[in-house]
Amino acid sequence: MKRKEEAARLALEEEVRAAKEIEEQEKLSSIKGDWVVYFGFNEFLLKPDQIAYLKTEIADKIKSDSSIRIALEGHADNRGSDEVNYRMSIFRISNVVDHLEMLGVDDSRMKVSPKGEEEPVASNDTEEGRAKNRRVEIVILSD
């Protein structure tokens, strides 16, 4: 029994390490005017550094230009049922929207779109790929 617990603990630690590494590599970069917030397995709450990222990199930019509107797309990896993953993408979007509102971004400037596990950006066959798929993408909408 202890071997199974140890194996599970090690697998979880590796998953956390991989997610943190991906987040650190990609969280401060914007691609084509878009931003990405990554989440750990079965997580939807933002961590303090993610909230700071929302403020400095996203909310401040949106508030500085009244013409900017954004779309938030929530995503999940393929662990769990389609229904659970769809719900998780809603929880992730909701948390990001709530924080953006607390940071002064009006909700009328946001459009939400939960995707569940339907639009992966990486293979779900590896932990690294699954970590990339657990995300909320924030896209600047063009008029």
Side-chain angles (χ1 to χ4, degrees), residues 33-98:
D34 304 339
W35 301 278
V36 182
V37 178
Y38 293 96
F39 294 85
F41 175 68
N42 208 26
E43 292 181 0
F44 60 89
L45 298 176
L46 294 170
K47 294 175 176 62
D49 63 324
Q50 292 171 310
I51 296 168
Y53 171 67
L54 285 179
K55 180 185 183 330
T56 60
E57 299 297 322
I58 302 170
D60 288 349
K61 181 174 183 175
I62 294 168
K63 292 188 308 184
S64 72
D65 183 343
S66 63
S67 69
I68 293 177
R69 292 182 52 249
I70 58 171
L72 294 94
E73 297 179 353
H75 300 273
D77 62 25
N78 70 346
R79 289 184 178 174
S81 70
D82 290 348
E83 181 181 337
V84 166
N85 289 331
Y86 184 78
R87 203 171 301 143
M88 184 60 70
S89 69
I90 292 171
F91 291 154
R92 289 174 177 152
I93 292 171
S94 296
N95 201 294
V96 173
V97 166
D98 288 348

Side-chain angles (χ1 to χ4, degrees), residues 15 38-41 77 92 127 130-135:
E15 185 176 352
Y38 293 96
F39 294 85
F41 175 68
D77 62 25
R92 289 174 177 152
E127 180 48 43
R130 289 188 294 272
K132 288 182 179 180
N133 292 330
R134 296 187 298 262
R135 69 196 189 282

